[in-house]
Amino acid sequence: RVQLEESGGGSVETGGSLRLDCKASELTFSANCLAWFRQAPGKEREVVTAIYTGTGNTWNADSVKGRFTISQNKARDRVSLQMSSLTPEDAGMYYCAAAQYPSCCIKTPMDMGSCDFPYAGQGTQVTVSP
C-alpha cells in the first residue's frame, strides 16, 4: 500500500511563504500521479496541484496559479509544494496524495485535479494570519 508522509507547514502572516514536502513509499509504478489537496473546516476538499512524475507535467488549480509550485526529486519519490503570497484563504490541512494508477494524469494532463487520489498522508497544518 502506498505510504505518504508530509512535512513542513506551520504558521505565517499574509503574504508569506511556506514549503511542504512529501515522501512517498511503496509506490506501485516507476512514474506516478501525485498531488496536494487541502481542506479547511467547513469547506470541501480542494486539489490544488498535481504532477505526473513520468514527465514532470504539472497542473494547478486556478486558486493557486502563479503562487504555488509543485516539484519532484530525481528519484520520483518526493514531491514538494512551494507556496508564496499566502492569504488566510489558503489556510487548512494540506495532504499529499497519490492516484492508484497514473493513467488519469497521462490522459488528462490539463485537468489532473479531477483525477481520483485515494491515497493520502496524515496531513500538515498551514495557518495564515491576517
Side-chain angles (χ1 to χ4, degrees):
R1 179 181 171 84
V2 174
Q3 300 291 322
L4 301 160
E5 182 177 359
E6 304 96 341
S7 60
S11 298
V12 294
E13 295 182 345
T14 295
S17 299
L18 281 174
R19 177 186 174 96
L20 307 180
D21 293 297
C22 173
K23 173 70 171 74
S25 57
E26 307 299 327
L27 293 169
T28 304
F29 303 96
S30 59
N32 294 273
C33 186
L34 303 174
W36 288 92
F37 70 87
R38 65 189 180 189
Q39 188 153 27
K43 294 186 178 181
E44 292 187 359
R45 175 179 126 163
E46 179 187 17
V47 179
V48 295
T49 187
I51 186 168
Y52 172 55
T53 61
T55 61
N57 187 43
T58 63
W59 171 90
N60 292 297
D62 288 343
S63 59
V64 304
K65 278 182 180 177
R67 301 187 301 120
F68 288 18
T69 302
I70 188 171
S71 60
Q72 63 184 69
N73 67 344
K74 288 184 177 180
R76 301 177 179 177
D77 62 356
R78 291 179 184 269
V79 290
S80 298
L81 178 61
Q82 181 65 47
M83 306 182 290
S84 61
S85 302
L86 288 163
T87 74
E89 291 298 309
D90 297 312
M93 284 294 288
Y94 280 70
Y95 300 86
C96 180
Q100 185 173 10
Y101 302 102
S103 56
C104 183
C105 282
I106 296 171
K107 293 178 181 178
T108 58
M110 301 301 290
D111 192 22
M112 287 192 279
S114 66
C115 296
D116 183 32
F117 297 97
Y119 303 112
Q122 294 297 311
T124 185
Q125 182 70 44
V126 171
T127 303
V128 185
S129 58

